[in-house]
Amino acid sequence: MMINSARRMVSSEWIAWSIKAIHRLIAHYLSLILFAVLVLVGCGKQENVVPSVPVNFRASRTDPRFSALNSIGGSVVISGYGVAGLLLYKQADGTITCYDRCSSYQPEKLCAVSPDNTGFTATDPCSGAKFSLSDGSPVKAPATKYLRSYVVNATQFEIFVSN
């Protein structure tokens, strides 16, 4: 009798251990599947986003092409950097900001925004969308996303733009 009861106890412990091991294995595989799905979904191509490209622009502040940045609201357009060029703007507080000229509305068209005569906005010639130069925000439809901005480090002698 004792032998049968000991066998039953060993069998039931083994079965309980086996069930726990199977549950751990299933949980492990489900975690891996969930992780793979999240990675695949998260790495999908984003639509309507201005591409991120490396930017390293440096210029002397004494260069006459940048004289517009000596006054508040002044702007300078630079070709050959970013996606569609750079737009530097002198803020009311005296700081300089920089935006990619590529419109955030249908960026795949590579339409380059241009500063308006007002000194406060830039216009996308393809769609008519307008953007505030104070923060890059859209101020006229159809645009709904900000312009891509870059980091500006300005000293007394030099302007450096990067991302």
Side-chain angles (χ1 to χ4, degrees):
M1 278 279 186
M2 263 184 150
I3 294 174
N4 284 339
S5 125
R7 282 184 186 161
R8 279 188 216 141
M9 191 169 147
V10 169
S11 282
S12 64
E13 287 175 1
W14 184 83
I15 290 171
W17 179 86
S18 297
I19 290 172
K20 286 180 185 179
I22 290 171
H23 281 290
R24 283 193 301 266
L25 191 60
I26 290 171
H28 178 71
Y29 281 117
L30 287 176
S31 296
L32 286 175
I33 291 169
L34 179 62
F35 177 74
V37 167
L38 289 174
V39 166
L40 291 174
V41 171
C43 293
K45 184 178 178 185
Q46 293 183 347
E47 298 287 326
N48 295 322
V49 174
V50 175
S52 179
V53 297
V55 172
N56 286 302
F57 172 77
R58 185 178 305 258
S60 170
R61 288 190 87 154
T62 59
D63 185 329
R65 295 175 293 178
F66 297 96
S67 63
L69 297 176
N70 292 332
S71 57
I72 303 297
S75 61
V76 174
V77 171
I78 301 161
S79 299
Y81 292 88
V83 176
L86 302 178
L87 174 57
L88 289 140
Y89 177 74
K90 179 87 171 242
Q91 298 287 343
D93 65 1
T95 60
I96 297 173
T97 54
C98 182
Y99 306 104
D100 200 298
R101 291 186 63 207
C102 185
S103 176
S104 62
Y105 180 73
Q106 297 179 332
E108 64 279 1
K109 291 185 175 182
L110 300 177
C111 291
V113 300
S114 295
D116 298 332
N117 292 336
T118 64
F120 300 112
T121 56
T123 301
D124 172 354
C126 299
S127 68
K130 287 189 179 284
F131 301 89
S132 168
L133 291 177
S134 66
D135 62 1
S137 64
V139 294
K140 181 182 174 200
T144 58
K145 296 178 183 171
Y146 282 63
L147 292 173
R148 178 176 291 282
S149 62
Y150 296 107
V151 176
V152 177
N153 290 313
T155 67
Q156 183 180 356
F157 306 105
E158 191 173 56
I159 299 169
F160 180 68
V161 178
S162 63
N163 53 351

